[in-house]
Amino acid sequence: MERKLNFELVPDGCWHANLRSVLKPVAWDYVRKDAYARADGKCMICGCKTDRLEAHERWEYDEKNGVQKLVDVVAVCKRCHTAIHIGRAQLVGKGEQAEDWYMKVNRCSYAEMRADLGKANELQRRRNLVSEWKLDLTWLKRFIED
C-alpha cells in the first residue's frame, strides 16, 4: 500500500552524502528555498500549515549499479521529518512520537506501522550490502539556466 509518509532509511554508507555537505551554503539555500516556495507554507507530506519547514532530500537507490540518485528536495514539517528518519528519532528518544505521527498521517494501525518499519529495515539491510555508493545529482540541473 502506498503511504503519504514513509520511513526512508538511508544506507549506512550514504549517511553523510547529503546536499548540505556537498553544496556550498549559498547553493543549498537556493535549493531548500525553492522547496519552501513550492510548499506554500504547508508540509508537502501531511499538508499541515507551519511557520517552519525543513528541507528533505528524496533519493532513489540503484543497488545493482551502486548509485544514490537525488530525485527531489521537498519541504516537510518537523514531525514528518522526524518520522521519515525514524532511526535517528529512536536514537534521540523520539521514536514513539515518530511512530505515533506516522500512524496518524497514514491512518494506519500499530501493526501496519510496524510492518512498514520492518520492510524499511530490510531494505536498508539489503542496501548496506553495496560496498560503495556513487552520487547522482543530475536533478540539480533544473537550477542551472541555459
Side-chain angles (χ1 to χ4, degrees):
M1 169 179 247
E2 188 69 28
R3 303 275 191 214
K4 288 171 63 172
L5 176 59
N6 294 289
F7 298 124
E8 298 178 27
L9 304 180
V10 177
D12 295 353
C14 300
W15 280 4
H16 301 290
N18 59 52
L19 289 184
R20 274 181 297 204
S21 67
V22 174
L23 298 177
K24 292 181 179 178
V26 68
W28 170 243
D29 279 346
Y30 192 79
V31 170
R32 70 181 177 86
K33 287 178 181 174
D34 172 74
Y36 300 158
R38 286 184 284 129
D40 195 28
K42 291 184 271 186
C43 175
M44 294 171 86
I45 294 175
C46 71
C48 290
K49 272 201 126 354
T50 181
D51 292 335
R52 187 177 187 284
L53 291 166
E54 299 179 359
H56 172 66
E57 302 156 27
R58 289 255 164 94
W59 300 93
E60 288 180 354
Y61 299 90
D62 176 349
E63 295 167 49
K64 182 179 178 191
N65 296 302
V67 177
Q68 176 190 16
K69 180 179 181 181
L70 180 68
V71 295
D72 201 359
V73 174
V74 295
V76 297
C77 68
K78 184 159 189 69
R79 292 180 293 189
C80 282
H81 211 186
T82 300
I84 288 168
H85 296 293
I86 187 74
R88 184 179 187 289
Q90 292 165 333
L91 288 173
V92 298
K94 296 185 178 183
E96 190 172 318
Q97 294 160 296
E99 291 174 354
D100 289 345
W101 186 248
Y102 182 92
M103 290 184 289
K104 181 175 181 172
V105 170
N106 290 314
R107 295 188 174 110
C108 68
S109 69
Y110 180 80
E112 291 169 317
M113 179 274 299
R114 294 302 297 178
D116 292 347
L117 183 54
K119 289 176 191 168
N121 279 312
E122 180 54 38
L123 191 57
Q124 183 190 36
R125 274 191 290 280
R126 196 177 72 225
R127 289 175 176 163
N128 281 341
L129 297 174
V130 175
S131 59
E132 188 173 335
W133 290 92
K134 296 178 228 59
L135 203 54
D136 178 346
L137 299 176
T138 54
W139 180 84
L140 292 173
K141 287 184 179 180
R142 65 194 299 266
F143 295 101
I144 301 171
E145 296 178 1
D146 292 326

